[in-house]
Amino acid sequence: RELRQGSDSRHKFSEMMCKLMEPLPAETRLPSPSAHRRKLAAGVSFVERRLETKIMQKDVAQICGLTTFQFSRQFRQVYGRTFQEHLLRLRIEKAKKLLTNPATSVTDICFAVGFSDASYFARAFNKATGMTPTEFRALPTKDPVEPAPGQHTTTPPSEASASPQLPRLGTGTGR
């Protein structure tokens, strides 16, 4: 009798293990990181197009069809940093590109990348890069070219047309 009970237990255990090995139905599985990335794509695109404006995380979450909590959790899973860290990184990277144009003031660049306070911009830039925007601008370019006589720019003529252009000020909101 004990032998039979042991056999029944093993059989039940085997059945249970087989059920556990079956794939879960799609509706019960957690979404993959690529599914999260697709859901976040509209929000990331929105942010990249509107860096110069005030961007609220709740608004981007709404664009993605998520609550702020869901958006925050999924964003960190996919990008490995918070939304605010990502936004700051994008703004600093755009500022670095704009700083290559010596004709544009640091203050104009500050506003063009979405900062509303030049002092905070300088501190954030310094924290991210280890130098102030002015120090960054003074770094030598990769291909230094002697300016033509009478030319007062450090941007080589071939790159002058390729310098990033600032969006027109006064077109954004929330500054």
Side-chain angles (χ1 to χ4, degrees), residues 2-91:
E2 286 179 27
L3 187 58
R4 186 169 181 210
Q5 283 179 340
S7 174
D8 286 345
S9 295
R10 277 183 286 212
H11 181 68
K12 286 181 182 179
F13 179 76
S14 291
E15 283 180 356
M16 188 171 64
M17 289 305 290
C18 286
K19 281 201 176 271
L20 286 173
M21 301 303 267
E22 292 176 8
L24 292 173
E27 64 273 4
T28 61
R29 288 186 225 142
L30 291 174
S32 69
S34 62
H36 290 322
R37 185 177 293 275
R38 283 191 301 274
K39 194 159 211 151
L40 297 171
V44 170
S45 176
F46 170 82
V47 168
E48 289 171 351
R49 287 189 321 270
R50 304 202 38 150
L51 275 179
E52 73 280 357
T53 65
K54 183 174 184 175
I55 299 173
M56 303 292 291
Q57 183 171 330
K58 67 181 177 71
D59 297 334
V60 181
Q62 187 175 16
I63 289 167
C64 296
L66 299 167
T67 66
T68 303
F69 176 77
Q70 291 169 326
F71 176 78
S72 179
R73 188 180 65 231
Q74 289 181 20
F75 196 93
R76 185 157 195 138
Q77 281 179 324
V78 170
Y79 293 99
R81 58 185 165 268
T82 67
F83 172 74
Q84 294 302 324
E85 291 168 340
H86 183 74
L87 180 59
L88 182 63
R89 181 179 289 187
L90 288 174
R91 287 180 165 158

Side-chain angles (χ1 to χ4, degrees), residues 94-108:
K94 184 171 181 182
K96 286 164 65 175
K97 289 176 185 166
L98 294 173
L99 284 165
T100 62
N101 181 353
T104 308
S105 75
V106 172
T107 303
D108 285 345

